[in-house]
Amino acid sequence: MKDCIFCKIVKGEIPCSKVYEDDKVLAFNDINPEAPVHVLIVPKTHVQSIMDLKEDEYQLIGHVFKVTSKIAKDLKVDEKGFRIVNNIGEDGGQTVPHVHFHLLGGRALQWPPG
Ligand code: AMP
Ligand code: ZN
């Protein structure tokens, strides 16, 4: 979608620090990392949030989790653990309206979130 920052990254119009890519998703390092490992896993098609997924698009989320587990292994946070975060809407703290999942790790993360 025009004017969507993550669509621009997917199209290569804005650079990113790529971690993983296949035909369905792109993963790159967050520009403002909140942990030693902070990767964003982004479906290539523009969908605002999981609330807007069509019936045949839910399988994409399963694929995102599969990719996330591979990245967690590659970046060696799988043994100590990590967190997957998906912020939705205003109260959820979503700042980029293109569905994405944060992989956070490399330090002990607090709970509950603020
Ligand atoms: P959220 O607040 O859940 O919507 O997450 C959006 C994330 O995108 C934030 O953690 C930002 O730091 C990150 N972000 C915004 N612009 C970029 C960019 N150009 N490259 C990498 N990460 C970005
Ligand atoms: Zn987009």
Short mmCIF file of all heavy atoms in Angstrom, two decimals, residues 64-90:
data_model
loop_
_atom_site.label_atom_id
_atom_site.label_comp_id
_atom_site.label_asym_id
_atom_site.label_seq_id
_atom_site.Cartn_x
_atom_site.Cartn_y
_atom_site.Cartn_z
N VAL A 64 4.41 -17.29 9.82
CA VAL A 64 5.19 -16.29 10.57
C VAL A 64 5.80 -16.95 11.81
O VAL A 64 6.97 -16.73 12.14
CB VAL A 64 4.31 -15.08 10.97
CG1 VAL A 64 5.00 -14.24 12.04
CG2 VAL A 64 4.00 -14.22 9.75
N PHE A 65 5.02 -17.77 12.52
CA PHE A 65 5.54 -18.41 13.73
C PHE A 65 6.63 -19.43 13.39
O PHE A 65 7.60 -19.56 14.13
CB PHE A 65 4.39 -19.05 14.52
CG PHE A 65 3.74 -18.08 15.47
CD1 PHE A 65 3.07 -16.96 14.98
CD2 PHE A 65 3.81 -18.25 16.84
CE1 PHE A 65 2.49 -16.03 15.85
CE2 PHE A 65 3.23 -17.33 17.72
CZ PHE A 65 2.56 -16.23 17.21
N LYS A 66 6.47 -20.12 12.28
CA LYS A 66 7.50 -21.08 11.85
C LYS A 66 8.81 -20.34 11.57
O LYS A 66 9.88 -20.75 12.03
CB LYS A 66 7.00 -21.82 10.60
CG LYS A 66 7.94 -22.88 10.10
CD LYS A 66 7.34 -23.59 8.89
CE LYS A 66 8.36 -24.52 8.28
NZ LYS A 66 7.85 -25.17 7.06
N VAL A 67 8.70 -19.23 10.83
CA VAL A 67 9.88 -18.42 10.50
C VAL A 67 10.50 -17.85 11.76
O VAL A 67 11.73 -17.83 11.93
CB VAL A 67 9.47 -17.29 9.51
CG1 VAL A 67 10.55 -16.22 9.43
CG2 VAL A 67 9.18 -17.87 8.14
N THR A 68 9.65 -17.40 12.68
CA THR A 68 10.15 -16.81 13.93
C THR A 68 10.95 -17.85 14.71
O THR A 68 12.01 -17.53 15.27
CB THR A 68 8.98 -16.28 14.78
OG1 THR A 68 8.25 -15.33 14.00
CG2 THR A 68 9.49 -15.60 16.04
N SER A 69 10.48 -19.08 14.75
CA SER A 69 11.22 -20.10 15.51
C SER A 69 12.56 -20.39 14.83
O SER A 69 13.57 -20.61 15.51
CB SER A 69 10.38 -21.37 15.69
OG SER A 69 10.33 -22.10 14.50
N LYS A 70 12.59 -20.33 13.52
CA LYS A 70 13.87 -20.53 12.81
C LYS A 70 14.85 -19.38 13.12
O LYS A 70 16.02 -19.62 13.42
CB LYS A 70 13.61 -20.60 11.29
CG LYS A 70 14.89 -20.72 10.48
CD LYS A 70 14.64 -20.54 9.00
CE LYS A 70 15.86 -20.16 8.20
NZ LYS A 70 17.15 -20.57 8.69
N ILE A 71 14.33 -18.15 13.10
CA ILE A 71 15.19 -17.00 13.38
C ILE A 71 15.70 -17.07 14.83
O ILE A 71 16.87 -16.79 15.11
CB ILE A 71 14.44 -15.67 13.12
CG1 ILE A 71 14.09 -15.53 11.63
CG2 ILE A 71 15.25 -14.47 13.59
CD1 ILE A 71 13.13 -14.39 11.32
N ALA A 72 14.82 -17.44 15.75
CA ALA A 72 15.21 -17.54 17.16
C ALA A 72 16.37 -18.53 17.31
O ALA A 72 17.31 -18.30 18.07
CB ALA A 72 14.02 -17.97 18.00
N LYS A 73 16.30 -19.62 16.58
CA LYS A 73 17.38 -20.62 16.60
C LYS A 73 18.65 -20.04 16.00
O LYS A 73 19.73 -20.14 16.59
CB LYS A 73 16.95 -21.84 15.78
CG LYS A 73 16.96 -23.11 16.57
CD LYS A 73 16.60 -24.27 15.68
CE LYS A 73 16.38 -25.46 16.58
NZ LYS A 73 15.65 -26.52 15.94
N ASP A 74 18.51 -19.43 14.83
CA ASP A 74 19.68 -18.85 14.13
C ASP A 74 20.36 -17.80 15.01
O ASP A 74 21.59 -17.70 15.01
CB ASP A 74 19.25 -18.19 12.81
CG ASP A 74 18.84 -19.21 11.76
OD1 ASP A 74 19.09 -20.42 11.96
OD2 ASP A 74 18.26 -18.79 10.74
N LEU A 75 19.59 -17.01 15.74
CA LEU A 75 20.16 -15.94 16.57
C LEU A 75 20.44 -16.41 17.99
O LEU A 75 20.77 -15.61 18.88
CB LEU A 75 19.24 -14.71 16.54
CG LEU A 75 19.00 -14.10 15.15
CD1 LEU A 75 18.13 -12.85 15.24
CD2 LEU A 75 20.33 -13.75 14.49
N LYS A 76 20.25 -17.71 18.21
CA LYS A 76 20.63 -18.37 19.47
C LYS A 76 19.92 -17.82 20.71
O LYS A 76 20.53 -17.69 21.78
CB LYS A 76 22.16 -18.30 19.65
CG LYS A 76 22.91 -18.96 18.48
CD LYS A 76 24.38 -19.07 18.77
CE LYS A 76 25.21 -19.71 17.70
NZ LYS A 76 24.63 -20.25 16.50
N VAL A 77 18.65 -17.50 20.55
CA VAL A 77 17.87 -17.13 21.74
C VAL A 77 16.87 -18.25 22.08
O VAL A 77 16.07 -18.11 23.01
CB VAL A 77 17.12 -15.78 21.57
CG1 VAL A 77 18.11 -14.64 21.49
CG2 VAL A 77 16.20 -15.79 20.35
N ASP A 78 16.92 -19.34 21.32
CA ASP A 78 15.94 -20.40 21.53
C ASP A 78 16.10 -21.11 22.86
O ASP A 78 15.12 -21.51 23.49
CB ASP A 78 15.98 -21.41 20.36
CG ASP A 78 17.36 -22.00 20.13
OD1 ASP A 78 18.34 -21.24 20.19
OD2 ASP A 78 17.45 -23.22 19.89
N GLU A 79 17.33 -21.25 23.33
CA GLU A 79 17.52 -22.00 24.58
C GLU A 79 17.12 -21.21 25.80
O GLU A 79 16.46 -21.73 26.70
CB GLU A 79 18.97 -22.49 24.68
CG GLU A 79 19.18 -23.67 23.75
CD GLU A 79 20.48 -24.40 23.97
OE1 GLU A 79 21.21 -24.09 24.94
OE2 GLU A 79 20.78 -25.29 23.15
N LYS A 80 17.50 -19.94 25.87
CA LYS A 80 17.14 -19.13 27.03
C LYS A 80 15.72 -18.58 26.95
O LYS A 80 15.12 -18.20 27.95
CB LYS A 80 18.14 -17.97 27.21
CG LYS A 80 19.49 -18.45 27.71
CD LYS A 80 20.25 -17.35 28.40
CE LYS A 80 19.91 -17.29 29.88
NZ LYS A 80 20.69 -16.27 30.60
N GLY A 81 15.20 -18.51 25.75
CA GLY A 81 13.82 -18.05 25.57
C GLY A 81 13.74 -16.66 24.97
O GLY A 81 14.71 -15.92 24.91
N PHE A 82 12.57 -16.34 24.54
CA PHE A 82 12.35 -15.06 23.86
C PHE A 82 10.85 -14.78 23.88
O PHE A 82 10.08 -15.56 24.46
CB PHE A 82 12.89 -15.13 22.42
CG PHE A 82 12.25 -16.20 21.56
CD1 PHE A 82 11.20 -15.90 20.73
CD2 PHE A 82 12.70 -17.52 21.62
CE1 PHE A 82 10.59 -16.88 19.95
CE2 PHE A 82 12.10 -18.50 20.85
CZ PHE A 82 11.05 -18.18 20.01
N ARG A 83 10.45 -13.68 23.26
CA ARG A 83 9.03 -13.33 23.24
C ARG A 83 8.60 -12.92 21.84
O ARG A 83 9.36 -12.26 21.12
CB ARG A 83 8.77 -12.17 24.22
CG ARG A 83 7.29 -11.90 24.46
CD ARG A 83 7.10 -10.90 25.59
NE ARG A 83 7.51 -11.46 26.87
CZ ARG A 83 7.72 -10.75 27.98
NH1 ARG A 83 7.55 -9.44 27.96
NH2 ARG A 83 8.09 -11.34 29.10
N ILE A 84 7.39 -13.31 21.47
CA ILE A 84 6.77 -12.84 20.23
C ILE A 84 5.67 -11.86 20.64
O ILE A 84 4.83 -12.19 21.49
CB ILE A 84 6.15 -14.00 19.43
CG1 ILE A 84 7.24 -14.99 19.00
CG2 ILE A 84 5.40 -13.47 18.22
CD1 ILE A 84 6.69 -16.27 18.37
N VAL A 85 5.69 -10.67 20.06
CA VAL A 85 4.71 -9.64 20.41
C VAL A 85 4.02 -9.15 19.15
O VAL A 85 4.67 -8.90 18.13
CB VAL A 85 5.40 -8.44 21.11
CG1 VAL A 85 4.41 -7.29 21.34
CG2 VAL A 85 6.03 -8.87 22.44
N ASN A 86 2.70 -9.02 19.23
CA ASN A 86 1.93 -8.45 18.12
C ASN A 86 1.03 -7.37 18.70
O ASN A 86 0.08 -7.65 19.41
CB ASN A 86 1.09 -9.56 17.46
CG ASN A 86 0.17 -9.04 16.37
OD1 ASN A 86 -1.01 -9.38 16.33
ND2 ASN A 86 0.68 -8.23 15.49
N ASN A 87 1.40 -6.11 18.46
CA ASN A 87 0.61 -4.99 18.95
C ASN A 87 -0.52 -4.68 17.97
O ASN A 87 -0.29 -4.64 16.76
CB ASN A 87 1.51 -3.76 19.11
CG ASN A 87 2.59 -3.97 20.16
OD1 ASN A 87 2.36 -4.61 21.18
ND2 ASN A 87 3.78 -3.44 19.91
N ILE A 88 -1.70 -4.44 18.51
CA ILE A 88 -2.87 -4.17 17.67
C ILE A 88 -3.57 -2.91 18.13
O ILE A 88 -3.98 -2.80 19.30
CB ILE A 88 -3.86 -5.36 17.72
CG1 ILE A 88 -3.18 -6.64 17.22
CG2 ILE A 88 -5.12 -5.05 16.88
CD1 ILE A 88 -3.81 -7.90 17.73
N GLY A 89 -3.66 -1.97 17.21
CA GLY A 89 -4.46 -0.76 17.46
C GLY A 89 -3.86 0.17 18.51
O GLY A 89 -2.73 -0.01 18.97
N GLU A 90 -4.63 1.17 18.85
CA GLU A 90 -4.15 2.26 19.71
C GLU A 90 -3.77 1.76 21.11
O GLU A 90 -2.64 1.98 21.57
CB GLU A 90 -5.27 3.31 19.80
CG GLU A 90 -4.82 4.60 20.47
CD GLU A 90 -5.96 5.61 20.59
OE1 GLU A 90 -7.00 5.41 19.93
OE2 GLU A 90 -5.79 6.57 21.36
#
